[in-house]
Amino acid sequence: MTTIKLHNTKTRKREVLTPIDPQNVRMYVCGPTVYDRAHLGNARPVIVFDVLNRVLRHVYGDDHVTYVRNFTDVDDKINARAADSGRDIGQITEETVAWFLEDMAAVGALQPDHMPRATSYIAEMVAMIEDLIAKGHAYEAEGHVLFAVESYRDYGKLSGRSVDDMIAGARVEVAPFKRNPMDFVLWKPSDAETPGWDSPWGRGRPGWHIECSAMADALLGRDFDIHGGGNDLMFPHHENEIAQSVCAHPGHGFARIWVHNEMLQVEGRKMSKSLGNFFTVRDLLDQGVPGEVIRFVMLSTHYRKPMDWTEKKRDEAEKTLRKWYALAITEDAGRPDDLLMELLSDDLNTAGAIAHLHRLAGAGDAAALRAGLQLLGLMGGLIPEWAAQKAFDLTDYEAFLSDARVTAIETKDFTHVDRIKKMLMDAGVEVQMSRDGVVLTPTPAFDAGKLEAL
C-alpha cells in the first residue's frame, strides 16, 4: 500500500500517516462562515483538501474514508449582515451555503461525506461546555462561559506562540469578567434580537471554537487522523479546539496530524478590497475563467507555500489544459502511475505532480495523463466546452505558416506571412513565432470556419 506522508504542524515535521483505523480514515476540515460569497482565498483550502481526500480514497478505498467539513451558520458576522440587510438570518445562511457549494463544485471539489451546520449541534456543544465546567476547565461569569487557558498546560503547542504573543492576540476580547486575558468564550448571552438557545447559563449562543470540537466528536470520534484548514486558523481557532477537546476527553488526543495551507496573494500582494484586487470565485467564473483553470493555478504551488494568483498564470493554465485535454480525450484513463502517486503521497506535492503531467503529455502518454488529471480533480469526464476548440488539429496550419516564414526570411518579403498571421488571428488563433518554430493555440474566440480560406 502507498505510504502517505504529511507535514504535521503540531510536531513541525513530516510524518507517515498511520490511520487509527485503516477501514475508516477520518479527516475534519474547517469550513466557511456563511454570510457572503466565497472569495478566491477561501477556495484554496477547499481545493487542497479535496485533493487529499481524493488521494486517501485512491489509497484506502472510497468506502474507507470519512471527510467532514462544517458550515458555521451562527456568528456575529451573520447577525450583522442580517441587521444591515433587513433579511432573515436563515435566508442568508441558506443562500450562502448554496452559493458556496455551487462555486466549489465549479472548481472541481467533491462534496464531503458530512457537512454539518453549527446550529444542528447546539445540544452537543452545551453538553461539552457543561463537562468542561465540571472538570474545572471552564467557568461561568456574567452570563458567559469561558475556557480557563491556564488549566491546560500544553496551550500554545500547536502554534508555537509564547504567552506574551498569545496575550497580545487575545487583547481584543479582554473583558473584566475574564480571569486571564487569554481565556476564550465557549458561550455568550443573546439579546432578543440575536439568535439564541436555552442553556444552563441562560439564553445564548456558542462561541466560535466550541462548534468544531463538538461536531468532530459527534461525527469522527474523540481521536481521528487529520485536521485541516488555512494557517490563519492555527491561532486561536485550532489552538482552542485542541484545548477544549483534550480537556473534555482526558486520555484522548483529538487530531493526530494537523495540516495547514498557506495564504493566497494576487499579483504579489495580499488580497484586499482597499487595494482593488479582491474578488470572489464567482467573479472569476462570471468573467469566463473556467473553474478547472482556477483549480490548476491553485495546485501549481505547494500548499505550504504562499500562492500568488496572476493573470499570466491563469492564461498559461488555460493553454496547458486545452492541450492536455485534446491529448487525453483520445484515451480511456488507466491507473495513475507510480511516480505521480509518489509525488502526491509526499506531503501532497501537487506542483511536482503537475510537472510530471507535463512530462507525460510531452511523451504522448494519453492514458497516464488522463488518469493523473482525474486524480487531481481535472477532466472528470468529456472534454469541457471551453476547451473543445483544441480538439481541432492546427498542425497543418503550423507547418504552412512555418514554411511561409522560411521563404519570407530568404526573400525578405513578409507580406504573405503577415496575411496568414492576420487570418489566423481573425479566426481566434493565438500565433507565437520564435527560433524554435511556430505554435498556434486556439483562444475562446476560435472559429474553425474562418480557417477555410487558408
Side-chain angles (χ1 to χ4, degrees):
M1 180 176 286
T2 303
T3 299
I4 297 174
K5 296 180 181 179
L6 296 168
H7 180 85
N8 188 350
T9 305
K10 194 170 184 178
T11 61
R12 310 292 192 271
K13 62 184 180 181
R14 194 167 299 186
E15 297 181 3
V16 173
L17 172 64
T18 305
I20 298 167
D21 176 5
Q23 297 302 307
N24 185 17
V25 184
R26 288 162 285 170
M27 177 169 69
Y28 187 99
V29 175
C30 289
T33 300
V34 285
Y35 68 98
D36 207 346
R37 285 279 189 185
H39 61 68
L40 189 59
N42 297 142
R44 191 178 195 196
V46 172
I47 292 171
V48 166
F49 291 103
D50 179 68
V51 173
L52 180 53
N53 177 42
R54 290 169 183 269
V55 171
L56 291 172
R57 291 177 188 277
H58 180 78
V59 173
Y60 292 97
D62 279 335
D63 297 333
H64 303 298
V65 176
T66 303
Y67 175 25
V68 178
R69 187 186 65 220
N70 72 296
F71 285 113
T72 297
D73 61 347
V74 52
D75 184 88
D76 288 345
K77 291 179 181 178
I78 302 172
N79 300 339
R81 179 58 55 89
D84 292 342
S85 65
R87 298 181 65 201
D88 180 74
I89 286 174
Q91 290 179 331
I92 292 172
T93 58
E94 285 296 325
E95 178 181 65
T96 309
V97 166
W99 284 346
F100 183 84
L101 293 177
E102 180 183 11
D103 292 348
M104 295 307 106
V107 298
L110 302 172
Q111 288 197 6
D113 300 287
H114 301 282
M115 295 184 288
R117 302 190 189 194
T119 52
S120 298
Y121 288 81
I122 299 296
E124 288 83 353
M125 296 180 214
V126 169
M128 183 174 279
I129 295 169
E130 287 183 299
D131 192 31
L132 287 168
I133 293 174
K135 289 184 169 79
H137 294 292
Y139 59 94
E140 182 182 2
E142 298 184 20
H144 294 74
V145 180
L146 297 111
F147 183 88
V149 167
E150 289 180 337
S151 72
Y152 178 55
R153 66 180 182 180
D154 286 336
Y155 191 77
K157 188 174 180 181
L158 175 70
S159 59
R161 293 188 175 220
S162 68
V163 172
D164 289 342
D165 287 341
M166 290 187 286
I167 290 174
R171 236 167 232 153
V172 293
E173 296 184 28
V174 169
F177 49 78
K178 283 189 175 185
R179 296 176 184 173
N180 183 309
M182 290 187 294
D183 292 351
F184 57 89
V185 173
L186 300 174
W187 190 265
K188 52 190 172 183
S190 294
D191 59 28
E193 304 301 320
T194 307
W197 291 262
D198 291 334
S199 80
W201 320 287
R203 184 176 179 276
R205 61 198 189 279
W208 173 31
H209 315 296
I210 193 69
E211 66 177 82
C212 289
S213 288
M215 291 188 284
D217 180 36
L219 295 169
L220 298 177
R222 295 178 181 181
D223 297 280
F224 56 95
D225 301 296
I226 301 167
H227 195 312
N231 67 357
D232 57 326
L233 299 179
M234 194 186 307
F235 181 85
H237 185 52
H238 290 164
E239 198 77 72
N240 293 350
E241 278 188 64
I242 293 173
Q244 61 205 8
S245 296
V246 172
C247 289
H249 308 302
H252 296 275
F254 197 48
R256 291 276 186 91
I257 295 179
W258 288 81
V259 180
H260 291 93
N261 64 273
E262 255 287 357
M263 295 295 98
L264 175 136
Q265 299 174 325
V266 175
E267 302 289 349
R269 306 174 74 183
K270 181 179 179 180
M271 189 167 66
S272 168
K273 290 181 180 179
S274 63
L275 294 175
N277 66 349
F278 179 94
F279 43 87
T280 67
V281 174
R282 179 51 49 182
D283 290 335
L284 288 177
L285 296 171
D286 288 346
Q287 291 166 18
V289 180
E292 287 157 283
V293 169
I294 297 173
R295 186 181 184 94
F296 186 98
V297 174
M298 293 277 190
L299 297 180
S300 297
T301 300
H302 191 273
Y303 78 90
R304 289 200 299 115
K305 294 182 179 180
M307 210 297 293
D308 190 18
W309 174 273
T310 68
E311 280 301 301
K312 181 180 179 182
K313 288 181 180 178
R314 183 210 62 76
D315 185 56
E316 290 175 348
E318 185 165 337
K319 290 177 182 176
T320 297
L321 286 176
R322 286 179 187 277
K323 294 175 182 176
W324 286 2
Y325 283 5
L327 174 62
I329 198 66
T330 62
E331 296 285 342
D332 293 331
R335 285 184 60 81
D337 68 5
D338 291 342
L339 180 53
L340 183 73
M341 286 307 304
E342 181 180 325
L343 289 163
L344 291 176
S345 298
D346 185 13
D347 198 27
L348 213 63
N349 185 2
T350 57
I354 286 176
H356 180 56
L357 294 186
H358 276 288
R359 292 190 288 270
L360 293 176
D365 192 341
L369 174 64
R370 184 162 186 166
L373 286 167
Q374 290 181 351
L375 183 59
L376 287 173
L378 299 160
M379 195 178 181
L382 298 174
I383 190 167
E385 184 178 348
W386 61 268
Q389 303 99 313
K390 191 55 189 175
F392 190 90
D393 189 358
L394 293 173
T395 304
D396 290 343
Y397 294 92
E398 289 176 342
F400 181 49
L401 180 56
S402 182
D403 290 344
R405 185 165 172 260
V406 170
T407 301
I409 291 172
E410 293 174 351
T411 63
K412 296 183 172 51
D413 182 0
F414 285 83
T415 304
H416 188 45
V417 169
D418 291 340
R419 185 178 69 83
I420 296 171
K421 184 177 178 181
K422 183 178 185 305
M423 293 177 72
L424 288 165
M425 293 172 65
D426 288 345
V429 178
E430 179 182 307
V431 180
Q432 294 176 299
M433 294 189 294
S434 68
R435 292 179 180 177
D436 297 327
V438 173
V439 176
L440 303 180
T441 306
T443 71
F446 178 64
D447 183 352
K450 292 182 178 180
L451 292 178
E452 293 179 0
L454 278 171

